[in-house]
């Protein structure tokens, strides 16, 4: 069974540009969540999508957005990049069934974004 | 004060030693995760707990919901256990099938020397 796939693995962008990152969840998983990891702030929740709908959003500016497609693949977009957006961006997928809390999260390898 | 506190921040051990990493949280949770991150970034989920204790190989995780505390133990530690161990809590109630917002601790850097 293939794991969570994130593309690209590495990315260098210039300030002011925009970037789109992709996450393909494990087959059958409908929940995809995104996280930002920086040396200063650690891991922080960005947003979560389930069945093409954003269910939760973290405390990030509107420059950070995302979407999920009907095949559960998700993309996140950062517009008007700033130096502080340099980070490792991780996504995780999970299979949810009803209201069960016993759903494991499986993480991708991440996309390392460097803004210069 | 962070919602999730881990201790210690750094831990150095000799191969074979018994390791304990602690995690305390201040919010109501539906589950707690222990994650492992090796250099290079990839995160592996070790355990997800909502009560009691789980064991997988040399790893044991416990949680005390009343005290809002969890511990990760590594028995007979090995240099390949060297990594950052992260505690994360899942807060909120499931609604409409999903609620996967995780709040993370700062992590514990474990180094196991041969």
């Amino acid at each position: 069974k293939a794991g969570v796939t994130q593309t690209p693995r590495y990315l260098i962008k210039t300030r002011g540009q925009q970037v789109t990152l992709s996450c393909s969840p494990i087959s059958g998983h409908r929940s995809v969540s995104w996280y930002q990891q920086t040396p200063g702030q650690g891991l922080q929740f960005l947003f979560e999508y389930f069945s093409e709908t954003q269910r939760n959003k973290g405390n990030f500016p509107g420059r950070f957005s995302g979407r999920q497609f009907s095949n559960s693949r998700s993309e996140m977009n950062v517009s008007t990049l700033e130096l502080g957006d340099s980070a490792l961006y991780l996504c995780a997928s999970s299979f949810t069934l009803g209201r069960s809390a016993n759903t494991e999260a499986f993480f991708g390898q991440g996309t390392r974004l460097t803004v210069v | 004060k962070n919602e999730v506190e881990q201790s210690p921040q750094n831990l150095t051990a000799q191969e074979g030693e018994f390791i304990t990493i602690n995690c305390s949280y201040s919010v109501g949770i539906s589950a707690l995760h222990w994650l492992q991150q090796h250099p290079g970034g990839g995160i592996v989920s070790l355990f997800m707990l909502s009560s009691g204790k789980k064991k997988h190989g040399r790893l044991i995780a416990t949680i005390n919901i009343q005290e809002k505390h969890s511990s990760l133990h590594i028995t007979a530690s090995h240099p390949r256990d060297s990594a950052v161990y992260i505690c994360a809590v899942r807060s909120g109630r499931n609604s409409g099938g999903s609620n996967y917002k995780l709040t993370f601790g700062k992590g514990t850097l474990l180094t196991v020397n041969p």
Side-chain angles (χ1 to χ4, degrees):
Chain A
K1 195 174 186 181
V4 178
T5 304
Q6 289 189 247
T7 56
R9 288 293 309 278
Y10 302 93
L11 204 48
I12 299 175
K13 288 285 190 178
T14 304
R15 265 183 305 174
Q17 286 186 310
Q18 74 162 14
V19 68
T20 299
L21 311 181
S22 178
C23 174
S24 294
I26 290 172
S27 178
H29 287 192
R30 294 163 64 191
S31 170
V32 174
S33 48
W34 288 89
Y35 305 90
Q36 182 197 63
Q37 186 177 36
T38 59
Q41 298 296 321
L43 275 158
Q44 293 182 285
F45 171 78
L46 278 157
F47 27 65
E48 183 211 359
Y49 286 87
F50 179 80
S51 292
E52 301 178 65
T53 301
Q54 187 182 90
R55 294 283 178 166
N56 277 293
K57 191 176 194 305
N59 190 24
F60 279 81
R63 300 185 296 109
F64 291 81
S65 63
R67 58 178 175 169
Q68 187 179 33
F69 302 95
S70 58
N71 62 357
S72 294
R73 188 178 72 85
S74 178
E75 288 181 347
M76 68 162 281
N77 184 276
V78 188
S79 62
T80 320
L81 284 165
E82 300 176 1
L83 295 179
D85 297 332
S86 296
L88 180 68
Y89 290 88
L90 290 151
C91 79
S93 78
S94 64
F95 174 80
T96 59
L97 184 63
R99 293 180 179 274
S100 170
N102 295 321
T103 51
E104 194 69 64
F106 296 86
F107 286 82
Q109 289 294 305
T111 294
R112 188 165 294 280
L113 172 65
T114 302
V115 182
V116 297
Chain B
K1 190 180 190 307
N2 292 331
E3 291 181 341
V4 182
E5 296 277 357
Q6 277 186 245
S7 63
Q9 279 189 312
N10 294 281
L11 184 55
T12 301
Q14 288 300 120
E15 184 172 355
E17 285 185 0
F18 181 84
I19 304 289
T20 295
I21 300 171
N22 295 299
C23 175
S24 296
Y25 54 92
S26 57
V27 295
I29 68 169
S30 55
L32 181 145
H33 298 255
W34 281 103
L35 310 170
Q36 181 192 57
Q37 186 173 33
H38 282 286
I43 287 182
V44 174
S45 180
L46 298 174
F47 294 102
M48 185 183 71
L49 294 162
S50 52
S51 65
K53 175 179 173 178
K54 286 190 176 179
K55 184 176 189 292
H56 181 69
R58 296 181 294 107
L59 302 178
I60 302 166
T62 63
I63 188 168
N64 185 317
I65 297 294
Q66 286 73 31
E67 295 186 3
K68 294 186 175 172
H69 181 269
S70 176
S71 293
L72 175 68
H73 306 286
I74 304 175
T75 61
S77 59
H78 189 277
R80 65 174 174 265
D81 296 327
S82 297
V84 176
Y85 292 84
I86 303 167
C87 169
V89 299
R90 178 178 169 185
S91 54
R93 299 172 65 85
N94 251 348
S95 59
S98 180
N99 186 359
Y100 229 107
K101 177 182 177 180
L102 295 177
T103 303
F104 300 86
K106 295 292 187 188
T108 296
L109 175 60
L110 171 65
T111 304
V112 182
N113 295 316

